[in-house]
Amino acid sequence: MEGTKSGTEVDRKARLQIPPQEMPKRPPAERIRDWEEIYLPLDLETAKREASRCLQCPAKQCVNNGCPLHNDIPAAFALLEQGDVIGAANKFRETSPMSEACGRLCPQERLCQGKCVVGKNRQPVSIGRLEAFVADYQRKTQGFPMPEMLPSSGKRVAIVGAGPAGLAASEYLARAGHASTIFDAWPLPGGLLLYGIPSFKMNKGIVDEKVDFLKRLGVEFVQNTIVGKDLTVDDLFKQGFQAVFLGHGATKETELDIPGEGADGSYTMPGKEMDGVFWAMDFLVRSNVPPERLPPDKREPVKIGRRVAVIGGGDTAMDCVRSAVRLGAEEVTCVYRRTEAEMPGRAAERINARDEGVKFHFLAAPLRIIGDENRHVRKLECQQMELGEPDESGRRRPVPVPDAKFMVDADNVVFAIGFGMDPRVAESCSGLQTDKWGQIIADAETGATSRRGLFAAGDCVHGADLVVTAIAAAKRAVSGIDSYLKEL
């Protein structure tokens, strides 16, 4: 037995014998009929017992090498197993401003749970579900706790983007005593969390409550405003903001250059003249966000046929296939050019999709979309692939199998193959350097860009990534902004 910081001795051998607790989910047949979260709330005793599986490791691999925010997970679980749920929630909030989101959305199997020592011989501790449990309990019983805030500095910061990076930056700035105003393109704040993440993964009310909390901290929001179109970064400086933070994410969808062929032999570009073709973001927001929360051009509900094919292998693709099931599709197929082992998304999401009836067609590369005489999708022609040598990503490259093509019946095709940079912000900003992909070049520790007073973090810097990495990068950038403002 070894001691913890509190002096309580931990019998690690005994803890390894505690069986993993079930993280209950709603039955697939029930949950596909609505858009509610699929995971059921934990009861306190189950949460305490699962927390007691933590070995309280001195090395804290889950903290130091697993969590981008370095949440003190063992300390939080030591409190939780004693029944101090609020204390556990506060321990997470010392380092994470969005425990509710991270607990639900992080790929814990690649992060904290992937480093859990228990996982070497047993099922790892369900860190994500426990983080969400304590955060939800606190929010529902006491609301978001008010943080300690420094006196007002009199300095104002403009934030571009009301997604994870922008929201996190605004909270960190408020704590440091700086006022901030967030400029965002959507009608309501939340960005990806509100518009891109389906409600069956995270209830949108959580985002609304977080925004209300930030407003109580003094954060201001300006919606329906596209920076790079309606105003520029230069305009923001002219309005008197002493610093500007870019946290607008990677929002431009990656296009797949395959044709759509009508019954008359004519070709069209997918998604433009071929009916029944969607891009992922448009499909998701029109599927799972109420019309009154959408821009006028996105309020028409998504109409799908009996068979839906989704192209892609990441979490966005899983969001699309699971949304298609809830929209009433009888047959939903995920088409991916590599094998399941190379898929970039969460294994848990693929399990959920399979449980909900989604089929997977691996080693299949789309060639063209075939439509009927009305130019509506009817089939997706694919090339059979096999794996060759690894590419620059380290994954084995898919190569075509000669003379091996096949058809997938589909009334709708959804492209979910990734996101890149919307160039408008950078192109409208004088003195801002970007890389060959259009991503903003910024210092990894301070967020400073090539232009004085302009900072950036999140997906607009490192490409489409995780909610938690965007939050962690925003936290570092705010430290850079704070130092900069103190020098003015």
Side-chain angles (χ1 to χ4, degrees):
M1 294 189 294
E2 299 179 37
T4 64
K5 287 183 179 180
S6 63
T8 303
E9 292 187 334
V10 174
D11 187 339
R12 296 193 171 95
K13 289 184 179 179
R15 287 184 174 230
L16 282 172
Q17 302 310 310
I18 301 174
Q21 304 301 293
E22 180 183 358
M23 299 294 116
K25 289 189 280 189
R26 300 166 62 209
E30 171 191 310
R31 69 193 196 220
I32 63 173
R33 296 193 183 101
D34 59 45
W35 295 82
E36 300 301 316
E37 289 192 14
I38 74 164
Y39 285 94
L40 294 168
L42 296 177
D43 62 79
L44 179 57
E45 290 307 312
T46 298
K48 288 168 59 178
R49 189 158 178 78
E50 182 67 15
S52 70
R53 296 180 63 230
C54 175
L55 300 183
Q56 297 295 322
C57 306
K60 297 185 179 182
Q61 293 295 329
C62 58
V63 179
N64 300 318
N65 297 316
C67 178
L69 287 167
H70 304 298
N71 293 332
D72 194 343
I73 296 162
F77 289 172
L79 293 166
L80 175 56
E81 68 174 284
Q82 296 167 19
D84 186 358
V85 183
I86 300 300
N90 285 333
K91 180 57 66 175
F92 276 111
R93 294 196 196 278
E94 286 178 7
T95 44
S96 174
M98 295 186 188
S99 285
E100 289 85 354
C102 290
R104 288 169 166 83
L105 305 177
C106 276
Q108 284 92 11
E109 66 276 9
R110 288 197 281 124
L111 300 174
C112 51
Q113 286 174 207
K115 301 297 182 181
C116 177
V117 174
V118 178
K120 290 183 177 181
N121 299 296
R122 304 284 193 277
Q123 183 175 314
V125 179
S126 296
I127 298 172
R129 298 312 307 166
L130 293 181
E131 181 180 6
F133 167 77
V134 298
D136 288 347
Y137 181 93
Q138 181 182 52
R139 191 184 75 259
K140 292 176 180 178
T141 58
Q142 299 183 357
F144 289 103
M146 293 297 291
E148 292 185 10
M149 298 173 63
L150 294 177
S152 173
S153 67
K155 304 291 174 52
R156 299 168 60 231
V157 180
I159 296 174
V160 179
L167 295 180
S170 72
E171 180 168 345
Y172 288 125
L173 285 167
R175 293 181 186 182
H178 309 306
S180 65
T181 301
I182 301 181
F183 296 83
D184 187 71
W186 292 97
L188 294 171
L192 169 77
L193 297 173
L194 184 66
Y195 289 98
I197 301 297
S199 301
F200 52 76
K201 289 173 67 174
M202 186 172 74
N203 186 292
K204 298 188 187 305
I206 294 173
V207 183
D208 295 336
E209 289 182 48
K210 184 67 180 183
V211 170
D212 289 341
F213 166 73
L214 293 174
K215 289 179 178 177
R216 292 198 300 274
L217 296 186
V219 179
E220 297 181 352
F221 293 86
V222 177
Q223 300 303 132
N224 298 304
T225 302
I226 300 175
V227 175
K229 177 184 176 183
D230 300 319
L231 52 77
T232 67
V233 170
D234 294 343
D235 293 331
L236 295 175
F237 280 111
K238 290 176 182 177
Q239 290 180 18
F241 292 101
Q242 284 85 7
V244 175
F245 171 77
L246 303 179
H248 51 286
T251 57
K252 188 177 187 300
E253 300 211 41
T254 303
E255 295 188 9
L256 188 62
D257 188 17
I258 65 171
E261 182 181 8
D264 59 357
S266 63
Y267 282 85
T268 64
M269 291 303 295
K272 296 181 179 178
E273 296 180 38
M274 184 72 74
D275 290 335
V277 178
F278 298 95
W279 300 111
M281 193 64 180
D282 182 64
F283 182 78
L284 289 173
V285 298
R286 290 171 55 197
S287 297
N288 78 94
V289 180
E292 64 271 15
R293 292 182 153 222
L294 294 173
D297 63 343
K298 294 189 180 297
R299 290 177 181 169
E300 182 181 354
V302 168
K303 297 177 182 178
I304 62 170
R306 189 171 64 85
R307 301 161 301 189
V308 177
V310 176
I311 302 171
D315 288 338
T316 300
M318 293 306 100
D319 293 344
C320 289
V321 294
R322 298 177 65 199
S323 294
V325 170
R326 285 160 175 77
L327 289 172
E330 298 175 17
E331 184 177 306
V332 180
T333 304
C334 175
V335 178
Y336 182 59
R337 62 182 183 152
R338 290 183 168 98
T339 70
E340 184 167 5
E342 288 79 33
M343 293 184 90
R346 298 186 67 185
E349 289 305 301
R350 295 195 293 276
I351 292 171
N352 289 332
R354 279 197 175 93
D355 289 345
E356 293 169 7
V358 174
K359 300 178 180 179
F360 289 79
H361 211 310
F362 297 110
L363 292 170
L367 292 175
R368 60 174 176 156
I369 300 169
I370 299 174
D372 58 21
E373 61 276 2
N374 297 317
R375 293 190 176 180
H376 193 287
V377 176
R378 286 295 172 257
K379 293 181 182 293
L380 176 67
E381 184 179 29
C382 297
Q383 170 71 55
Q384 187 70 48
M385 309 296 282
E386 60 184 1
L387 295 182
E389 296 299 316
D391 61 15
E392 60 277 3
S393 71
R395 296 179 297 170
R396 294 176 65 189
R397 185 188 306 274
V399 294
V401 176
D403 302 319
K405 299 177 182 178
F406 61 94
M407 297 288 184
V408 175
D409 292 332
D411 302 303
N412 302 95
V413 173
V414 182
F415 289 90
I417 55 176
F419 294 88
M421 300 308 305
D422 183 336
R424 288 179 295 186
V425 174
E427 289 177 353
S428 69
C429 179
S430 58
L432 179 61
Q433 293 181 358
T434 59
D435 63 18
K436 63 181 180 180
W437 297 284
Q439 296 167 175
I440 296 165
I441 297 174
D443 185 274
E445 294 304 316
T446 67
T449 70
S450 55
R451 178 168 175 176
R452 180 173 168 79
L454 181 62
F455 298 79
D459 290 3
C460 65
V461 172
H462 49 59
D465 203 353
L466 308 174
V467 169
V468 68
T469 54
I471 295 172
K475 184 177 184 179
R476 294 191 297 271
V478 168
S479 294
I481 296 171
D482 184 51
S483 297
Y484 169 77
L485 294 176
K486 288 176 178 176
E487 295 174 355
L488 295 180

